Amino acid sequence: MRSWIILVCIFLGMLYSCKYDNYNEPESFLTGNLIYEGEAINLGNGDVIIELWEDGWQTKNAIDVSVAQDGSYSANVFNSTYKLVIPSSQNPFQTIVNEITDSDTIIVEVNGDMHLDIEVLPYYLIQDVDFSVIARDVSVNFSINQILIEDSKSIEKVYLYINKGQFVDLQWNIADASMEAGSIEDLSSVTLTVTVPELTPAQDFVFGRIGLKINGVEKMIFSQVQRISF
Amino acid sequence: MMDRISYILLLIILLGGQACQDNRFLNEEPNDVLSEEQVWSNQTLILGLLADLYNRIPEYQTIENWWNFSDFDEAFGSAYSDYWRQKNTQWNYDEWAFNWDNYYTYLREINLFIQKANSDLADWLDENDRNRYIAEAKLIRATLYFEMVKRVGGVPLITEPLTYDFSGDPTYLEHPRAKESEIYDFILSELESILDYLPNDVDIKSRATQGLNLAMSSRVALYAASIAKYGVNTPEVSLPGGEVGIDESKANNYYRKSLEAAEKLLKSSIYSYELYLEDQEDLSSNFANIFLKKTNNREVIFVKDFQLQSGVTNNFTVENQPWSGTEDMEGGRMNPSLNLVQSFEKLDNTFELLQVADENGDYYYYDNPTDLFKDRDARLMGTVLVPGSSFKNKNLDIWAGYILSDGTVISGDTYGARKVLPDKNEEEKVVGMDGPINSLEFTAQSGFYCRKYLDPTTGSGQRGVKSEVWWVRYRLGEVYLNAAEAAFELGDKSKAADYINTLRYRAGFKTDLTAADLTFDRIVHERKVELAFEGHQLWDMKRWRLAHKVWNGDKVDLTQKPWKADEVSNRVYALWPYKYYNPGDENDGKYIFKIVLPAEVTGADYFRMGNYYSYISDEVRNNNPLIVINPNQ
């Protein structure tokens, strides 16, 4: 019996000691959005990555932060100074040159929870989105607004994606409709229609949004996800 | 007490003295390591070194890595452990990358071999032997560079073993990435320089020969040429330093080199390679036999060989044999897709889709399921086991169930499940032993099994026996295709047609293609059907810059245009036969076919621009800051 008690005490002691062996967990949250003129821009799930680099270590490995489909990001980091970079990998926007670093690198001093919106220049924005439903046909009317006039790129295709859940993009969808750029007559009023397939288990709503593919740019820009009942 | 301690002390001193006496101990030759001098004084040991280098040649899709065939649209992975391959959508940027430590260690050992073979250690060797060893090692090195440049583009070009001088500053060992074109040029010039030192013997298959040298040159030059030519379609896939991307102006020069090497092998009378054509009556079996027959096979140029009862055997047949006739507890893991099957032409040179239903959607009825595939390219039946065919003299049992006149399907959820049909009293089989049954592993979930490389020898399907079918790395059929493509790109369409027609004749085509018939689509198509399951698909799609178009992530239906090179094909489709059940009806017992999307196919392949050249890890770039990152990642 006594040896049992001793063993348990040793075990408890080991648990307690863990507190001293390990590093502190990262204490601060760095959150924010990718924005244009104050509005968050919408992207594909995990399409865009933000890299956080911390100087002063022997080897360099970035902390990769995925940007969510609504343009927000969140990273749990240590208090320190980071260099924030959005790698130029086929993103549907251009980064803005930062005045302090004279490049697209942004220096972020994290000391406690912090909110940082990052201003970017999207090639296009999808606006005035208006969904309507007839039976199982989901229609949407929207306008396309070209933001970057200089250094512009042409539109390749527009898509309407719908999904059962709230993640909606190229990879997350149950049905889509699309239109080639050549068929678009009026950028201020484009209409797409998709029929909702049979859903198992049955549900009387879907989530939908528009995606715009730019020529020579792989990742799409989207409109806000909307819940559509039918 | 004192006595005992002094005894012990005395004993220790005596033992110590004993140990010191024998000073041979410190000079003893190790008996588990061979010294350089020992190795390089014995031909068998030198050959052993070389065999090790051969054995480590990196590859991607092979009969030992057959699951990678189901990563794209060629095949469906019909095993629980492979379903993720069809659910998966995009590939990570580090897919198809390699471990730099492993590859550069391997490279260092090749460089050491070449260095030693050139040193006075090898002076005693016969000059021909010595030159052959060096030539072989250089060919292996060229192969390694080819494998690296295909995966990540230009890499540091190291041709001497590097040695650290322990000065505390290793930066002098850092080398930047060479240009992609420099790597290709290095490979081609190396191959050219060693050609005469290699043996010209059509029977040598697992060591380097002149035949391999030329076949490899034609492939390597063709890759470089098409990257130069088709790279203009993807200007974003390039780096300013040329580590990725080749200048367009170089394309024709590479195409000429490719054609030259291929034609030397095909036309020069000193080389006696020829297409395998032993069975004129059954061209499909003839095609399958290219990969099975090891004697009198003048088509195969270079292989990874296997031998029964030697410990070096492969599992391909065990894991992919038809389930209905399996010799063990598994099989049928890789199912060729309908996407591939419908790509095989009719023998009148037309691309006709498989005739499943008429324009009203009414099914056609077939007495025998193989009738659907009649009069097609012989390579279809040589590559794929279709419903109604047989393997090892056992008929396959691929049918998905009974279909009634009102369209109702009666089927089961296990291999050969039994149920009572309407108006009958007894249970009978309502689905084939080979399925197809959704989500049931080892059934032919695509409706097909693979024939290429499947060993018809009795026992090859047993885990205790396995198969000695070899893995063909280079064969003359590909050289014809290389020559055709290079000639086509250089504008000589009639020459290209000649080469393609030679291959097509062997596949049963009686009408030749004319020069006017030849298009880029034709070239792409011919490689697809001739070289399916031979590990070419990914690299071909990359070099033509078609990968991001064909695997674009859009969930599209099965293509109606299988002849079109850039047609989207990113989901694996299946063709399921059903037996028609309607007693008294003239069609009772006949087969109909349905085109279905297997339940496990939930993703669509999505090849991103950043996948063209795989990611180089942070670790590599930390160790060598001169390494630049690949584009679009």
Side-chain angles (χ1 to χ4, degrees):
Chain A
M1 190 59 203
R2 218 176 94 205
S3 59
W4 263 106
I5 293 173
I6 293 172
L7 276 177
V8 169
C9 286
I10 291 174
F11 181 67
L12 287 175
M14 284 162 74
L15 284 185
Y16 191 68
S17 64
C18 290
K19 192 171 170 186
Y20 294 98
D21 302 330
N22 289 339
Y23 293 105
N24 287 334
E25 74 270 18
E27 60 271 73
S28 305
F29 276 96
L30 174 64
T31 56
N33 296 300
L34 298 189
I35 57 164
Y36 173 72
E37 289 188 341
E39 292 272 329
I41 61 166
N42 287 270
L43 304 159
N45 275 297
D47 266 5
V48 176
I49 301 279
I50 296 175
E51 288 179 355
L52 292 173
W53 298 85
E54 189 182 8
D55 280 347
W57 300 92
Q58 191 182 6
T59 59
K60 292 183 182 137
N61 288 298
I63 302 170
D64 285 347
V65 184
S66 284
V67 180
Q69 64 174 5
D70 60 356
S72 68
Y73 70 93
S74 166
N76 190 200
V77 293
F78 293 102
N79 286 340
S80 176
T81 304
Y82 294 94
K83 288 178 175 169
L84 184 153
V85 185
I86 304 176
S88 55
S89 57
Q90 299 284 317
N91 294 327
F93 53 78
Q94 289 187 350
T95 47
I96 294 175
V97 173
N98 185 279
E99 284 168 11
I100 300 161
T101 59
D102 202 27
S103 69
D104 60 354
T105 305
I106 302 169
I107 297 189
V108 189
E109 278 175 44
V110 179
N111 188 12
D113 289 353
M114 180 174 170
H115 186 87
L116 176 75
D117 284 340
I118 303 162
E119 185 88 23
V120 293
L121 295 171
Y123 292 100
Y124 291 91
L125 278 182
I126 296 161
Q127 288 164 331
D128 312 320
V129 179
D130 183 19
F131 277 97
S132 58
V133 182
I134 301 167
R136 290 186 80 86
D137 289 341
V138 173
S139 297
V140 64
N141 187 277
F142 57 93
S143 66
I144 300 168
N145 192 359
Q146 186 168 8
I147 306 295
L148 273 173
I149 306 294
E150 287 171 38
D151 211 7
S152 67
K153 289 184 190 278
S154 58
I155 301 172
E156 184 182 326
K157 219 169 173 182
V158 286
Y159 294 85
L160 165 60
Y161 290 114
I162 55 169
N163 199 12
K164 287 197 277 189
Q166 58 179 327
F167 293 121
V168 190
D169 61 20
L170 171 69
Q171 297 177 63
W172 298 75
N173 66 74
I174 49 167
D176 71 85
S178 62
M179 189 187 281
E180 300 280 348
S183 317
I184 300 175
E185 285 165 5
D186 180 6
L187 284 185
S188 63
S189 172
V190 188
T191 306
L192 286 169
T193 305
V194 68
T195 307
V196 182
E198 285 301 320
L199 304 175
T200 8
Q203 65 182 41
D204 60 358
F205 59 89
V206 288
F207 294 86
R209 61 172 176 163
I210 323 289
L212 185 148
K213 170 96 171 64
I214 303 157
N215 263 326
V217 177
E218 187 170 63
K219 295 167 187 173
M220 288 193 261
I221 190 131
F222 288 86
S223 67
Q224 246 178 14
V225 175
Q226 287 193 25
R227 189 188 148 116
I228 307 146
S229 301
F230 56 86
Chain B
M1 188 63 192
M2 226 11 235
D3 268 359
R4 192 184 281 178
I5 289 178
S6 31
Y7 272 125
I8 292 172
L9 277 176
L10 192 65
L11 205 63
I12 290 173
I13 289 166
L14 282 177
L15 276 174
Q18 172 77 17
C20 282
Q21 263 181 7
D22 193 350
N23 60 5
R24 273 187 312 161
F25 177 74
L26 292 172
N27 295 321
E28 197 162 345
E29 293 282 326
N31 56 12
D32 55 350
V33 180
L34 291 171
S35 70
E36 244 163 37
E37 289 75 19
Q38 285 171 326
V39 172
W40 284 94
S41 59
N42 182 329
Q43 290 248 28
T44 315
L45 291 176
I46 298 173
L47 205 58
L49 274 186
L50 203 57
D52 174 58
L53 297 181
Y54 271 116
N55 201 32
R56 287 155 72 187
I57 290 177
E59 282 176 292
Y60 176 48
Q61 298 169 317
T62 71
I63 48 172
E64 292 176 286
N65 290 312
W66 49 264
W67 42 84
N68 287 124
F69 288 120
S70 43
D71 281 346
F72 308 95
D73 59 336
E74 262 185 359
F76 176 94
S78 181
Y80 297 128
S81 52
D82 287 322
Y83 287 153
W84 64 272
R85 295 177 196 279
Q86 30 266 345
K87 295 182 189 299
N88 177 12
T89 52
Q90 64 193 25
W91 290 282
N92 289 333
Y93 291 134
D94 60 2
E95 190 83 35
W96 315 303
F98 55 83
N99 181 320
W100 285 56
D101 281 352
N102 290 349
Y103 276 42
Y104 272 89
T105 307
Y106 178 34
L107 176 66
R108 181 183 155 75
E109 285 167 25
I110 302 170
N111 283 335
L112 275 171
F113 183 94
I114 296 170
Q115 189 191 52
K116 301 298 172 198
N118 277 316
S119 71
D120 48 12
L121 279 172
D123 280 346
W124 62 277
L125 278 170
D126 174 72
E127 200 54 28
N128 287 335
D129 286 348
R130 184 185 198 170
N131 285 335
R132 183 180 175 192
Y133 288 139
I134 295 170
E136 285 185 278
K138 284 189 170 176
L139 187 134
I140 296 171
R141 183 169 68 185
T143 305
L144 176 60
Y145 272 113
F146 186 37
E147 292 299 319
M148 293 201 279
V149 77
K150 283 194 296 189
R151 286 165 170 79
V152 301
V155 290
L157 187 55
I158 312 291
T159 53
E160 295 287 327
L162 299 180
T163 311
Y164 179 43
D165 59 7
F166 294 95
S167 63
D169 177 23
T171 46
Y172 73 99
L173 295 171
E174 290 171 357
H175 293 263
R177 295 174 64 182
K179 289 181 181 171
E180 188 171 19
S181 61
E182 286 170 348
I183 300 288
Y184 279 106
D185 291 343
F186 171 76
I187 299 170
L188 291 171
S189 71
E190 284 278 287
L191 289 176
E192 210 177 318
S193 72
I194 59 173
L195 179 65
D196 294 337
Y197 300 115
L198 291 169
N200 171 21
D201 182 346
V202 72
D203 291 323
I204 297 178
K205 306 286 195 192
S206 48
R207 288 178 69 179
T209 54
Q210 294 193 6
L212 168 61
N213 186 306
L214 293 170
M216 186 173 162
S217 298
S218 86
R219 189 194 286 181
V220 171
L222 190 65
Y223 276 38
S226 38
I227 289 168
K229 174 157 189 202
Y230 294 100
V232 293
N233 298 337
T234 53
E236 60 270 49
V237 184
S238 63
L239 286 175
E243 294 88 351
V244 160
I246 298 176
D247 192 69
E248 193 190 356
S249 62
K250 295 185 174 166
N252 280 352
N253 199 16
Y254 284 126
Y255 279 126
R256 271 192 290 275
K257 278 190 176 167
S258 174
L259 184 61
E260 211 173 280
E263 289 198 320
K264 194 166 179 185
L265 185 58
L266 297 176
K267 290 193 170 160
S268 167
S269 58
I270 60 168
Y271 299 111
S272 48
Y273 292 92
E274 58 188 34
L275 291 181
Y276 185 85
L277 191 50
E278 299 289 317
D279 189 351
Q280 296 269 12
E281 296 303 307
D282 185 353
L283 290 170
S284 293
S285 295
N286 180 71
F287 187 70
N289 281 339
I290 299 171
F291 308 92
L292 304 174
K293 293 278 181 266
K294 292 191 181 180
T295 46
N296 282 331
N297 190 332
R298 291 178 168 271
E299 165 147 11
V300 167
I301 298 170
F302 183 53
V303 300
K304 177 170 187 183
D305 209 349
F306 296 90
Q307 195 181 355
L308 286 179
Q309 298 180 333
S310 71
V312 187
T313 50
N314 70 67
N315 257 332
F316 184 78
T317 304
V318 175
E319 286 160 326
N320 293 298
Q321 60 193 323
W323 177 251
S324 58
T326 185
E327 297 177 331
D328 214 310
M329 294 308 291
E330 61 180 315
R333 287 167 185 261
M334 186 190 57
N335 306 160
S337 67
L338 174 58
N339 312 41
L340 174 69
V341 169
Q342 70 165 3
S343 302
F344 289 88
E345 293 155 77
K346 301 273 280 186
L347 285 173
D348 60 1
N349 297 347
T350 60
F351 289 91
E352 188 190 62
L353 294 174
L354 293 169
Q355 294 301 298
V356 171
D358 63 18
E359 59 270 21
N360 301 326
D362 293 328
Y363 294 113
Y364 291 123
Y365 296 88
Y366 291 93
D367 292 330
N368 190 321
T370 48
D371 294 346
L372 177 65
F373 310 97
K374 249 192 347 207
D375 299 329
R376 280 184 189 262
D377 191 333
R379 290 171 290 191
L380 168 59
M381 302 279 208
T383 307
V384 175
L385 291 170
V386 301
S389 57
S390 63
F391 182 69
K392 288 189 186 175
N393 294 325
K394 282 182 185 158
N395 291 330
L396 300 194
D397 196 22
I398 304 178
W399 53 287
Y402 279 106
I403 187 163
L404 309 185
S405 55
D406 62 357
T408 319
V409 167
I410 298 176
S411 184
D413 52 12
T414 59
Y415 316 99
R418 302 175 80 82
K419 277 182 188 165
V420 182
L421 288 171
D423 307 325
K424 288 211 178 169
N425 307 320
E426 277 178 38
E427 281 195 342
E428 59 187 290
K429 196 159 77 173
V430 294
V431 61
M433 285 302 288
D434 290 317
I437 299 165
N438 265 329
S439 310
L440 183 62
E441 66 173 352
F442 309 153
T443 67
Q445 288 186 59
S446 75
F448 307 101
Y449 284 133
C450 184
R451 178 170 185 190
K452 216 178 236 187
Y453 286 110
L454 208 61
D455 186 352
T457 318
T458 307
S460 60
Q462 292 174 22
R463 286 175 201 169
V465 181
K466 300 185 187 172
S467 165
E468 62 178 2
V469 166
W470 57 20
W471 167 246
V472 178
R473 287 162 166 162
Y474 284 88
R475 65 178 174 97
L476 204 64
E478 184 212 342
V479 179
Y480 273 98
L481 288 168
N482 295 349
E485 183 177 343
F488 170 80
E489 297 288 3
L490 290 169
D492 193 344
K493 287 189 177 182
S494 59
K495 186 186 262 184
D498 284 348
Y499 287 127
I500 279 206
N501 285 329
T502 314
L503 264 191
R504 289 168 67 86
Y505 173 73
R506 198 211 7 210
F509 291 94
K510 297 284 178 266
T511 321
D512 282 349
L513 293 178
T514 62
D517 290 333
L518 269 214
T519 56
F520 177 67
D521 287 339
R522 269 282 175 197
I523 302 277
V524 172
H525 169 266
E526 208 62 37
R527 282 185 86 90
K528 182 179 191 175
V529 293
E530 174 78 28
L531 301 175
F533 306 120
E534 294 183 44
H536 291 270
Q537 190 185 22
L538 172 66
W539 315 119
D540 278 346
M541 297 308 265
K542 274 171 54 155
R543 69 184 172 89
W544 289 319
R545 298 294 190 258
L546 286 176
H548 72 285
K549 292 184 179 167
V550 174
W551 303 317
N552 69 354
D554 264 351
K555 288 180 181 148
V556 299
D557 293 337
L558 181 68
T559 174
Q560 305 287 304
K561 301 172 189 161
W563 58 87
K564 204 160 156 266
D566 59 357
E567 188 71 356
V568 180
S569 172
N570 52 22
R571 293 197 289 179
V572 175
Y573 273 82
L575 186 70
W576 286 12
Y578 288 88
K579 280 186 194 173
Y580 185 62
Y581 179 75
N582 190 1
D585 191 274
E586 54 166 345
N587 289 325
D588 181 52
K590 291 188 179 175
Y591 289 87
I592 64 118
F593 291 88
K594 280 188 184 180
I595 292 171
V596 295
L597 185 66
E600 295 297 333
V601 180
T602 55
D605 295 333
Y606 182 24
F607 188 101
R608 295 173 290 169
M609 289 297 181
N611 287 121
Y612 271 111
Y613 292 89
S614 299
Y615 187 72
I616 298 172
S617 73
D618 290 338
E619 200 187 1
V620 171
R621 286 178 294 123
N622 274 323
N623 290 341
N624 179 359
L626 297 178
I627 302 279
V628 293
I629 191 169
N630 276 332
N632 306 314
Q633 294 172 346

